[in-house]
Amino acid sequence: MTDLLESICRRAGRSVRQSRESIIRQSRQRLSRDTFDMQSLHVVAASSLVHKQPEKALDLLAKAGDRLARDPMGNRLAGYAWLVHKDIGRAKQSFDQAVRLDPNQPDCWKWLGHLAEHDDRYEQAAEYYQRGILFDDGGHESAIALSRLHARHRQLKDAIHTLRVCLIRDRRSAKLNFALARLLDRRSIMLGRKRMHLAQHRLRREALECYRIVNAVAPTAQSWLMQGRLEQQLFEHTAARTSFQKAVDFDPASAKALSHLASANVDFGEIETALGQFEQSIRLDPQRGEAHFRYARAKRFKSGADTRNYLAQLEQQLSADDQPRQKAIYLNFAIAKVHDDIGNHDRAWEHYDRANRLKVSRAESAAQRRQTPTTTERTSSAPTPSGPVEDGPWFEAFTRHSLQSYSPEYFQSIQGTGHLSRTPIFIVGMPRSGTTLTEQILSSHPAIAGAGELNYINQIRQEISRLRSPVPDRQAGWSRPPELLQAMNAGDVMHYADRYLDQLERFRSGAQHVTDKMPTNFMHLGLIATLFPGATVIHCRRNPMDVFVSCYCQNLNAPFCDLDQLVVYHRNYRRMMAHWERVLPIKIHTSDYESLVAQPETQARQMIRHCGLPWDDACLQFHSNDRAVHTPSKWQVRQPMYRSSVEKWRRFEKHLAPIAEQVFAEIDSETATTMQGAT
């Protein structure tokens, strides 16, 4: 309303230097002398509306008599006055008359659209907004309103199209770019759930460009924060940290921005700086459960008054009756971590177990709401297996089919196809088996760049699964890749290999090799060997009980938050790895975590030799590597080699004894069977 008053005053002013106050004063004087003119009436009525006096504005407009019916600005002002009075019918009549007399009034079209929405007239509202866009004055209010209308009716494509068209006329509009970026982000999440990863990646790139325009034109703490989060999703960790820093610079009192900046600093090994930022974030907003969770993971607590006071603070929050489930998960993990650090292992296990049970129940509730198989959102940066692996029967079927389909005969039939590049080094295994440490050692070599956990192989596998059926059967569809790969010619296989290499290129930085340490790529080694028959594969293996405990303590998703599922998952993992060792045309180097921490130089030299590279002493200084590490092991790999994680599960042995007995009995049986087969 203030902008409208400014516009009216500019028209009524007799000099460009005349102030708004003097114009209003002169207009009142003319009206008080009964020197009636519509322009003065507009000025005083608009001023009354700005000062929350709608009755006075309506009284003034009534003095225009019959002339009001022919006055577009008078009807426009009357519409605003009736809105304040909450007389929707009269407001609509006034705005409708205003645009009949002069359609070039975009705010009237916008309000007509709002009022039509109020009456649940979707199509009429959309028409009004379209007219508002046609007469847009640069405010883009109708465009934003129309996009929101489409989004509320689950027409995200139409919402996005509306804003893209408007941006053709005003590419640098901060308002349009911000609104479009948020819609693109929503749409990308939906595409990710449908496993349409290429389209998801394109939308994220477009959204990032939108945020960068916003932050070049009209930055805010929120826009910098959202840009940083997108940059993290696109593996641009250095840029993300810069964006989070700018968000904090804009709003030093933003607990959310400080927490994100602190997490980014942990990724880069700046632990002390990060701890200070976490503590500042918690002081500003003690109720942020995620900040407590991330702070507790980054800090090493010691017994003492400060730790006792912090535990009391967390437990007081946890005891609140109306605690959201996600916050309770974060707080339980934080409390567990503090108790774990100070040696209260029974209390720690109590809270680890409670947190994971809450995660399982939350996932089950979400699955029931959607009436689809359980899939959960990532609540941490930790690795989660691709696909619905928490569904035990599915993963068992996947394992069984892989063992049947990826046979020696299959690899014989595709001999001579695939890309000859030796750029990728695949680090596979169970999560928390030493994959991050292995990558940190390898990427300290000048010829190797570390890319972290990439989901590109799984995305290719999913695309091949959909090749002949856009909506594959959940059971049969996963089994399609071997058959489809055999049906494709060498050029098709090269197409997928080239696509993967293109994604690696941005991590290369001149290095000869690039690591991909998505642990669950162990499921896809048959596809990897098809695409890259000369690939390097390193399998990280660790005591299964240490793996189970480490997963259970890290806020991972199913199956890693359910010990029973973990047992089944690990069993199928062992079956698959034993199969790949037998049939894969690629030699797999197995690195045992326990041997690596006991004899780091010997084991590191073997890994470097397996990669076909000369030894470099920098590999033993892996803790000095300043690359971003965006996994739960980000703290550990900043330390020199230590052995305290070996047999860590013994801290909780009395809680895990039945599972340990079962798993070790299974492994002994498998070993005996293998030995009998060898003889």
Side-chain angles (χ1 to χ4, degrees):
M1 198 64 230
T2 302
D3 291 342
L4 180 57
L5 174 59
E6 284 285 353
S7 174
I8 293 171
C9 286
R10 281 197 299 272
R11 294 184 206 173
R14 299 185 179 185
S15 166
V16 293
R17 297 182 179 179
Q18 195 173 8
S19 69
R20 186 176 77 181
E21 290 71 21
S22 68
I23 294 169
I24 294 171
R25 185 169 55 252
Q26 289 177 2
S27 297
R28 285 194 178 120
Q29 290 171 354
R30 282 196 291 273
L31 291 178
S32 67
R33 293 195 299 267
D34 293 328
T35 306
F36 190 87
D37 70 88
M38 292 301 291
Q39 198 169 62
S40 295
L41 184 69
H42 296 160
V43 171
V44 179
S47 176
S48 299
L49 288 172
V50 168
H51 290 89
K52 313 295 184 186
Q53 298 171 325
E55 298 88 354
K56 186 174 181 180
L58 289 169
D59 288 343
L60 285 167
L61 292 167
K63 293 180 180 179
D66 293 341
R67 281 178 288 185
L68 182 62
R70 302 186 301 277
D71 179 32
M73 181 58 74
N75 279 280
R76 184 179 183 182
L77 293 169
Y80 281 107
W82 290 122
L83 280 177
V84 177
H85 264 296
K86 298 185 179 179
D87 190 330
I88 303 302
R90 289 188 180 182
K92 181 184 180 306
Q93 290 175 4
S94 296
F95 285 131
D96 189 64
Q97 182 65 9
V99 296
R100 288 177 186 275
L101 295 167
D102 179 9
N104 190 15
Q105 298 191 86
D107 61 320
C108 294
W109 290 113
K110 178 199 73 174
W111 278 108
L112 285 168
H114 285 339
L115 297 175
E117 277 197 77
H118 180 270
D119 293 335
D120 294 323
R121 291 183 293 127
Y122 170 77
E123 292 183 1
Q124 184 69 61
E127 289 180 13
Y128 284 136
Y129 291 140
Q130 290 285 6
R131 295 297 296 275
I133 293 171
L134 183 64
F135 295 105
D136 180 61
D137 58 357
H140 304 296
E141 297 293 339
S142 288
I144 301 295
L146 179 57
S147 70
R148 287 174 179 165
L149 179 65
H150 286 317
R152 276 195 293 272
H153 286 79
R154 300 185 179 182
Q155 301 293 328
L156 270 185
K157 288 183 180 179
D158 290 338
I160 290 169
H161 177 73
T162 296
L163 298 179
R164 281 173 171 164
V165 170
C166 292
L167 278 166
I168 294 173
R169 292 192 296 175
D170 190 0
R171 186 70 190 96
R172 305 291 290 176
S173 166
K175 186 181 294 185
L176 288 177
N177 275 287
F178 188 80
L180 178 58
R182 300 192 71 169
L183 288 174
L184 292 169
D185 200 22
R186 280 180 59 186
R187 177 72 177 153
S188 73
I189 292 170
M190 293 173 62
L191 292 175
R193 289 171 181 163
K194 295 178 181 179
R195 300 187 177 91
M196 300 173 65
H197 300 292
L198 284 177
Q200 179 188 45
H201 182 80
R202 284 194 294 268
L203 289 190
R204 282 179 170 169
R205 278 282 163 204
E206 185 181 354
L208 180 57
E209 180 59 27
C210 289
Y211 281 129
R212 285 175 173 166
I213 291 174
V214 171
N215 288 323
V217 176
T220 64
Q222 183 186 18
S223 59
W224 278 118
L225 184 60
M226 297 176 86
Q227 177 175 321
R229 294 179 71 175
L230 261 180
E231 286 165 337
Q232 278 188 332
Q233 291 170 351
L234 293 167
F235 303 104
E236 298 181 13
H237 297 297
T238 301
R241 182 165 63 157
T242 300
S243 295
F244 293 144
Q245 180 63 64
K246 290 184 177 179
V248 171
D249 292 342
F250 261 85
D251 185 2
S254 171
K256 189 174 184 179
L258 277 163
S259 180
H260 276 85
L261 177 59
S263 293
N265 280 323
V266 172
D267 290 351
F268 282 89
E270 297 183 12
I271 308 297
E272 291 304 316
T273 299
L275 291 176
Q277 291 162 343
F278 276 130
E279 289 164 0
Q280 186 179 354
S281 173
I282 290 169
R283 283 195 297 271
L284 289 166
D285 184 2
Q287 298 299 316
R288 280 187 61 79
E290 185 177 4
H292 287 294
F293 165 69
R294 297 190 182 283
Y295 173 61
R297 287 210 309 184
K299 185 176 174 65
R300 289 294 175 264
F301 293 89
K302 297 180 180 179
S303 298
D306 289 344
T307 297
R308 289 194 298 273
N309 291 337
Y310 184 54
L311 274 172
Q313 176 188 353
L314 295 177
E315 287 166 351
Q316 182 180 12
Q317 288 193 37
L318 188 60
S319 65
D321 293 334
D322 58 345
Q323 197 67 254
R325 192 174 337 193
Q326 182 57 63
K327 183 178 178 183
I329 291 169
Y330 282 138
L331 291 175
N332 272 294
F333 272 117
I335 293 169
K337 170 60 166 55
V338 178
H339 280 301
D340 203 352
D341 281 353
I342 62 178
N344 296 336
H345 300 312
D346 287 343
R347 290 290 304 278
W349 184 259
E350 175 188 339
H351 287 281
Y352 282 137
D353 195 51
R354 190 181 302 172
N356 282 288
R357 290 180 187 278
L358 283 170
K359 285 180 71 69
V360 171
S361 66
R362 190 189 69 162
E364 290 173 347
S365 298
Q368 289 171 0
R369 286 194 300 270
R370 294 192 301 269
Q371 294 184 336
T372 59
T374 303
T375 43
T376 58
E377 295 180 355
R378 294 174 70 100
T379 56
S380 75
S381 59
T384 56
S386 306
V389 296
E390 69 280 8
D391 184 341
W394 173 86
F395 191 41
E396 289 191 8
F398 181 91
T399 303
R400 186 167 54 252
H401 184 271
S402 295
L403 269 57
Q404 293 170 353
S405 301
Y406 287 109
S407 61
E409 292 74 23
Y410 165 78
F411 289 111
Q412 183 67 31
S413 71
I414 63 164
Q415 196 170 14
T417 62
H419 203 294
L420 297 180
S421 172
R422 298 184 60 85
T423 296
I425 298 174
F426 295 95
I427 303 170
V428 303
M430 285 288 292
R432 312 298 297 160
S433 62
T435 56
T436 302
L437 174 59
T438 297
E439 183 180 50
Q440 194 76 345
I441 291 171
L442 295 180
S443 63
S444 297
H445 193 287
I448 303 176
E453 295 174 5
L454 306 178
N455 200 32
Y456 302 140
I457 288 294
N458 185 54
Q459 291 172 10
I460 290 171
R461 194 266 305 173
Q462 289 170 348
E463 186 172 327
I464 294 171
S465 293
R466 292 194 303 269
L467 198 60
R468 295 186 182 176
S469 174
V471 185
D473 174 77
R474 186 165 185 264
Q475 295 292 339
W478 299 109
S479 67
R480 299 180 65 83
E483 292 88 343
L484 290 177
L485 283 166
Q486 285 179 312
M488 293 191 298
N489 60 39
D492 296 325
V493 174
M494 289 289 284
H495 164 74
Y496 287 110
D498 282 334
R499 264 201 12 216
Y500 177 79
L501 292 173
D502 286 344
Q503 296 290 351
L504 288 194
E505 199 59 37
R506 58 195 172 115
F507 302 100
R508 183 191 285 270
S509 300
Q512 182 179 345
H513 298 282
V514 181
T515 59
D516 177 346
K517 67 157 292 272
M518 176 58 78
T520 51
N521 273 340
F522 75 81
M523 290 187 272
H524 312 309
L525 285 177
L527 173 60
I528 287 171
T530 303
L531 299 179
F532 301 104
T536 299
V537 177
I538 295 177
H539 169 215
C540 296
R541 187 169 59 189
R542 186 181 182 187
N543 181 324
M545 294 310 300
D546 280 339
V547 168
F548 292 0
V549 165
S550 190
C551 288
Y552 209 60
C553 297
Q554 289 297 329
N555 194 11
L556 305 185
N557 292 319
F560 307 116
C561 56
D562 184 309
L563 290 171
D564 291 331
Q565 289 187 43
L566 256 174
V567 170
V568 175
Y569 186 87
H570 196 273
R571 181 187 305 135
N572 285 289
Y573 147 76
R574 296 194 305 269
R575 291 174 62 200
M576 293 189 83
M577 287 309 305
H579 177 73
W580 300 133
E581 290 278 4
R582 288 194 300 270
V583 306
L584 222 60
I586 298 173
K587 180 173 173 54
I588 300 173
H589 175 79
T590 298
S591 171
D592 285 306
Y593 178 80
E594 293 77 13
S595 299
L596 179 60
V597 299
Q599 300 174 313
E601 182 172 352
T602 300
Q603 299 300 316
R605 283 180 177 274
Q606 290 177 6
M607 287 192 289
I608 295 299
R609 190 180 306 118
H610 180 69
C611 295
L613 295 171
W615 173 250
D616 193 292
D617 287 338
C619 296
L620 295 180
Q621 302 300 316
F622 62 89
H623 52 281
S624 301
N625 191 332
D626 61 358
R627 59 180 284 271
V629 179
H630 200 60
T631 75
S633 301
K634 62 184 77 173
W635 190 90
Q636 291 93 326
V637 297
R638 304 300 182 189
Q639 318 302 313
M641 194 74 75
Y642 59 90
R643 302 185 61 183
S644 57
S645 292
V646 175
E647 293 286 302
K648 179 180 177 180
W649 77 277
R650 298 289 182 185
R651 303 178 190 176
F652 312 111
E653 184 171 5
K654 70 179 183 181
H655 305 284
L656 293 166
I659 290 175
E661 185 178 351
Q662 176 187 349
V663 171
F664 289 132
E666 288 182 4
I667 293 174
D668 288 343
S669 175
E670 292 165 8
T671 302
T673 302
T674 301
M675 292 178 65
Q676 289 175 0
T679 58

